Amino acid sequence: MQVPLYQAKAEFFRMLGHPVRIRVLELLQNGPVPVRDLLNEIDIEPSNLSQQLAVLRRSGIVVSIRDGNTVSYALAGGDVAELLRAARRILTELLVGQTELLAELRQADVG
Amino acid sequence: MQVPLYQAKAEFFRMLGHPVRIRVLELLQNGPVPVRDLLNEIDIEPSNLSQQLAVLRRSGIVVSIRDGNTVSYALAGGDVAELLRAARRILTELLVGQTELLAELRQADVG
DNA sequence: CCTGCGATTGAAGACTTCTTCAATTCCCGA
DNA sequence: TCGGGAATTGAAGAAGTCTTCAATCGCAGG
């Protein structure tokens, strides 16, 4: 392997590290979606969406399918859902942790 | 929720998007590890490691524990292992996809 | 108290990534 | 073949992240 695995992983996570890209992946989870519909959901300029779609395409996690005048995107394979679920689980813990911390800080204010 | 969830997720993934941070999380999976040992494994300047550890700490995914003169880091909670496994599964698919693509390109060269 | 080691911090410049713009491609229908 | 809508591209400035440096903190031992 030319590229060390931990670097490939880091690149992979960086690819996920953008709100629009996350939303797109979530929207694609029930099958292909036309760019037009993504634009409807996401409230962003078309060219910006295209840029983000290009990032996803380059990584290989999605593919684009042209049908006449409309282009649709679809997940390339695998269990993206599972990844996002795992992320949500951890994220939930982290946010709970922060809430508790916040509560303690408030206590400290009062006490 | 003040911060939309998809933005929190994006920040979370961005936090993971660095080779050193990934390695640290992997090294912490069997329990706390002193900074000294991390430095031994990772080949990076101490101050750089500290910066990356600070990123992890700020996100809440790890905590630091001081014992006399040595500081150790530990996972704050949850199933980071599962997340990394899910990531590896997808990553493997993606890399296989790229390898196949490469093979096709070579075919095209010959044919 | 002072020295030294382990680790952290803040700041600055190099480097990446984001957003936006104008220009372009692709395809359909007239 | 021309017009027009859908989507993409390339480029440029703004914004963010990385690496490194010197300075600092905290603690143990002399």
Side-chain angles (χ1 to χ4, degrees):
Chain A
M1 193 177 313
Q2 320 87 314
V3 176
L5 188 53
Y6 49 85
Q7 184 162 342
K9 277 189 197 166
E11 271 165 35
F12 176 71
F13 285 124
R14 233 182 305 130
M15 177 272 282
L16 295 172
H18 190 291
V20 168
R21 299 199 290 262
I22 293 287
R23 285 200 83 191
V24 168
L25 291 178
E26 286 177 347
L27 289 167
L28 296 189
Q29 279 186 104
N30 304 313
V33 179
V35 170
R36 191 177 333 101
D37 295 4
L38 294 174
L39 268 172
N40 258 344
E41 293 287 330
I42 298 184
D43 187 33
I44 192 187
E45 317 228 347
S47 62
N48 196 346
L49 180 58
S50 264
Q51 297 281 1
Q52 305 313 327
L53 290 173
V55 172
L56 293 173
R57 235 186 310 116
R58 256 178 259 131
S59 84
I61 202 171
V62 306
V63 294
S64 71
I65 308 147
R66 173 161 230 137
D67 177 19
N69 217 334
T70 87
V71 177
S72 293
Y73 278 78
L75 295 182
D79 214 347
V80 173
E82 189 192 355
L83 180 76
L84 293 176
R85 251 182 282 123
R88 177 152 63 228
R89 266 196 292 280
I90 297 183
L91 203 50
T92 304
E93 280 182 37
L94 295 183
L95 292 174
V96 168
Q98 282 172 21
T99 306
E100 279 166 6
L101 183 61
L102 200 60
E104 283 176 35
L105 288 173
R106 278 209 252 277
Q107 283 278 356
D109 257 12
V110 172
Chain B
M1 193 177 312
Q2 320 85 314
V3 177
L5 187 52
Y6 49 84
Q7 185 162 341
K9 277 190 198 164
E11 272 165 34
F12 176 70
F13 285 124
R14 234 184 302 129
M15 175 273 282
L16 295 172
H18 190 291
V20 168
R21 299 199 290 264
I22 294 286
R23 285 199 85 190
V24 167
L25 291 178
E26 286 177 348
L27 289 167
L28 295 188
Q29 279 185 105
N30 303 312
V33 179
V35 171
R36 191 175 333 101
D37 294 5
L38 294 175
L39 269 172
N40 258 344
E41 293 288 330
I42 299 183
D43 187 33
I44 192 188
E45 318 229 347
S47 62
N48 196 345
L49 180 59
S50 265
Q51 297 280 2
Q52 306 311 329
L53 289 172
V55 172
L56 294 173
R57 235 186 309 116
R58 257 179 257 131
S59 83
I61 203 172
V62 305
V63 294
S64 71
I65 308 147
R66 184 179 273 271
D67 177 19
N69 219 331
T70 88
V71 177
S72 293
Y73 278 78
L75 296 180
D79 214 347
V80 173
E82 190 191 355
L83 180 76
L84 293 177
R85 250 181 284 124
R88 176 151 64 227
R89 265 195 294 278
I90 297 182
L91 202 50
T92 304
E93 280 182 39
L94 296 184
L95 293 175
V96 168
Q98 283 173 20
T99 305
E100 280 165 9
L101 182 61
L102 200 60
E104 283 174 36
L105 288 172
R106 278 209 254 273
Q107 282 280 355
D109 255 14
V110 172

